[in-house]
Amino acid sequence: MTATTKAPSSAPVPAAAAAQANSGNAKAISWEIAKFVGSLIISFFLILVIWWLFLLAFPDIGPIIGKTPVDVFHYLFTEPTSATNRGEIFDNLWITLKDAGIGFVCGMGAAIIAATLFVMFRPVAQTFMPIAMLLRSVPLVAMTPLITLVVGRGVAVVAVMGGIVVFFPALVMIMTGLANAPKQINDVIVAYGGTRMTSMKMASLPSAVPALFAAAKVSVPGAMIGATVAEWLGTNKGLGATLQQALPAAAYNELWASVLVITVASIVIYAFVGVAEKLVLAQMGTKPT
């Protein structure tokens, strides 16, 4: 009888190594997300401190007009009418978030399309980019009456005004990302008979993903500003209208609470975009811009 020996399997070793690598990557991503969110929380508390110090530095503002973070907290959570106050503010916040979402989608979509055309066709960029920058130099408040006259006071004015705020910074950042695609990849695509559109889809767009996320993060507060201005001057709804109505009514608690809620909402949405950026770029093996 001859004894047969079974060679030990080496399959578990690579599997264990892969599992360990995945675990390490997951921990690294989690740490990056934790640092990002933690920095936003610290920034929020710094905003509260600066707010408080500002009121202390200018006592002439007075406690009637200048409400502290504690005053806003009492207005929203501890006063007998706090439930009603919160309900009104959060109902208006929901309207403002929808308006900001409309402006963000319109502005980012237009920026992506325009940046793609400008990168693919340089004469188009040379012709229209100066016009776009000239339009951007006109204050949004000055254009509001004309925009309202042309498109009315409904969803269209929100889309146009929010889109304008989002469009221009996003356009510049996305164009930069598209133009920075590796030239070697483009040369290979062209050598194999690829068209400009093929090169755009296979090389430029993937390399521009970090720039897309950077543009999205910059555009989030811009979309909130555009929505607020559109509501203030155009639709008379949402937190923008609340700010407009609170000033002449001397409703300063409501005014400061609305500002704080808009700020918190912007930070939260910014955090969501930042976390999505970390996850997507980690899967692509790309670092944020």
Side-chain angles (χ1 to χ4, degrees), residues 77 81 112 115 118 151 191 206 213:
F77 297 105
T81 59
I112 292 171
F118 287 177
V151 302
F213 274 108

Side-chain angles (χ1 to χ4, degrees), residues 159-245:
V160 172
M161 295 181 67
I164 288 173
V165 176
V166 171
F167 174 78
F168 291 100
L171 173 65
V172 175
M173 299 182 75
I174 295 171
M175 279 186 64
T176 302
L178 292 173
N180 287 338
K183 189 176 183 301
Q184 296 85 349
I185 298 178
N186 287 323
D187 292 341
V188 171
I189 293 172
V190 172
Y192 279 90
T195 62
R196 288 182 178 178
M197 183 58 67
T198 304
S199 178
M200 178 63 64
K201 290 190 298 183
M202 298 184 65
S204 298
L205 285 176
S207 68
V209 170
L212 284 171
F213 274 108
K217 289 193 296 184
V218 170
S219 299
V220 163
M224 293 294 288
I225 293 172
T228 304
V229 173
E231 292 166 351
W232 185 309
L233 302 173
T235 67
N236 293 323
K237 297 179 181 178
L239 287 177
T242 299
L243 297 175
Q244 179 197 33
Q245 296 160 8

Side-chain angles (χ1 to χ4, degrees), residues 33 49 59 61 74 84 90 118 141 143 151 155 215-216 243 253 257 276 281:
I33 292 175
V49 171
I61 296 176
H74 289 320
T84 302
F90 284 114
F118 287 177
V141 175
M143 292 191 294
V151 302
V155 177
L243 297 175
N253 279 320
L281 296 187

Side-chain angles (χ1 to χ4, degrees), residues 12-97:
V13 176
Q20 186 176 2
N22 290 333
S23 176
N25 290 335
K27 290 180 180 178
I29 296 171
S30 300
W31 175 241
E32 289 296 323
I33 292 175
K35 288 195 299 182
F36 175 73
V37 174
S39 66
L40 291 181
I41 294 173
I42 294 173
S43 298
F44 173 69
F45 282 106
L46 285 175
I47 291 172
L48 296 182
V49 171
I50 293 171
W51 175 0
W52 213 320
L53 292 176
F54 174 80
L55 294 177
L56 291 176
F58 297 95
D60 293 340
I61 296 176
I64 296 177
I65 298 176
K67 301 299 180 180
T68 67
V70 174
D71 295 328
V72 172
F73 179 83
H74 289 320
Y75 176 78
L76 291 175
F77 297 105
T78 63
E79 292 183 359
T81 59
S82 292
T84 302
N85 299 336
R86 286 198 310 272
E88 292 177 355
I89 286 181
F90 284 114
D91 287 344
N92 288 320
L93 173 64
W94 178 243
I95 296 173
T96 299
L97 289 176

